[in-house]
Amino acid sequence: MTMRVAILLFDGFDLIDAGGPYEVFLTASRLLERDGLPPAYEVVLATPGGDDVVAFGGMTLTRLTDTDALDSADIVLVPGTIDVACALSDSALREAIERLAASSSLTASVCTGAFLLARAGLLRDKPATTHWEDLGDLGGCGDVAEVIAGVRWVDAGAVLTSGGLTSGIHLALHLVARTTSVDLAQRTARQLDMDWSPDPAR
């Protein structure tokens, strides 16, 4: 069965937070198709309203899917941003996260995307991580059970968080391992020329 991965974008998001996992899921599917098997993942880039977005640094992404047009997703991934306060004040973004998370099996964040999950109430009583510079602020959010340092990702069951920037690639490989197989995750990492370990502390 092909799983739908919805990567939720918004103005000011960090490009590698979304682009890294995007490449992981596409590459994993390409390797399966090379083996004569169906793709494991359908990756959808979505925004509230389907509007174009401008990543941090100025790159514009167009022809995006409206989150309202997504009835469900197996995995929802929320990237981080430099301007966390601006993203937290975006009510349409928060509503999109809440709605998609409610209908997904897994919700994940990269870097400061953890703050958006916390604002949506998804980290309540769960351990989490984020960029090392922001661990203290995440701990001050209130409902996070434990903020974990020194790991690339934290798997809290239905909700996963990862550290800064390239940690999102490691998290996506973990998601491939969890939803498909460790072997496919390792093959995908090799194809990406990535040094990856199933251990989040490595």
Side-chain angles (χ1 to χ4, degrees):
M1 181 186 73
T2 300
M3 290 167 276
R4 175 180 288 169
V5 180
I7 301 178
L8 186 56
L9 305 181
F10 50 91
D11 281 332
F13 78 96
D14 283 320
L15 191 63
I16 198 168
D17 289 7
Y22 179 86
E23 289 290 345
V24 167
F25 294 118
L26 289 184
T27 300
S29 285
R30 180 162 56 89
L31 291 175
L32 289 175
E33 290 179 290
R34 183 185 292 177
D35 295 339
L37 299 170
Y41 307 100
E42 170 204 5
V43 185
V44 179
L45 301 178
T47 62
D51 297 330
D52 295 354
V53 292
V54 180
F56 176 76
M59 182 180 287
T60 300
L61 280 74
T62 65
R63 299 179 64 185
L64 304 171
T65 298
D66 186 345
T67 53
D68 286 343
L70 290 175
D71 54 353
S72 65
D74 298 287
I75 301 171
V76 175
L77 188 137
V78 180
T81 177
I82 301 297
D83 194 344
V84 176
C86 181
L88 289 175
S89 68
D90 187 336
S91 60
L93 177 60
R94 183 179 65 189
E95 290 168 6
I97 293 171
E98 291 173 348
R99 188 180 69 78
L100 289 174
S103 62
S104 70
S105 300
L106 300 168
T107 302
S109 67
V110 180
C111 197
T112 55
F115 290 88
L116 297 174
L117 298 194
R119 174 59 62 88
L122 298 173
L123 297 185
R124 191 167 295 122
D125 300 324
K126 291 182 173 61
T129 194
T130 188
H131 191 283
W132 60 267
E133 285 186 329
D134 302 294
L135 292 169
D137 288 339
L138 184 62
C141 283
D143 289 338
V144 181
E146 179 185 6
V147 175
I148 301 178
V151 294
R152 294 189 185 277
W153 72 84
V154 171
D155 186 331
V159 180
L160 304 91
T161 53
S162 65
L165 300 164
T166 57
S167 288
I169 300 174
H170 294 266
L171 168 68
L173 288 164
H174 169 68
L175 285 166
V176 170
R178 179 172 162 179
T179 59
T180 307
S181 71
V182 173
D183 177 68
L184 181 59
Q186 291 172 332
R187 289 177 60 202
T188 301
R190 173 61 179 153
Q191 188 70 24
L192 295 172
D193 205 7
M194 183 85 182
D195 185 11
W196 177 77
S197 169
D199 182 352
R202 291 184 59 191

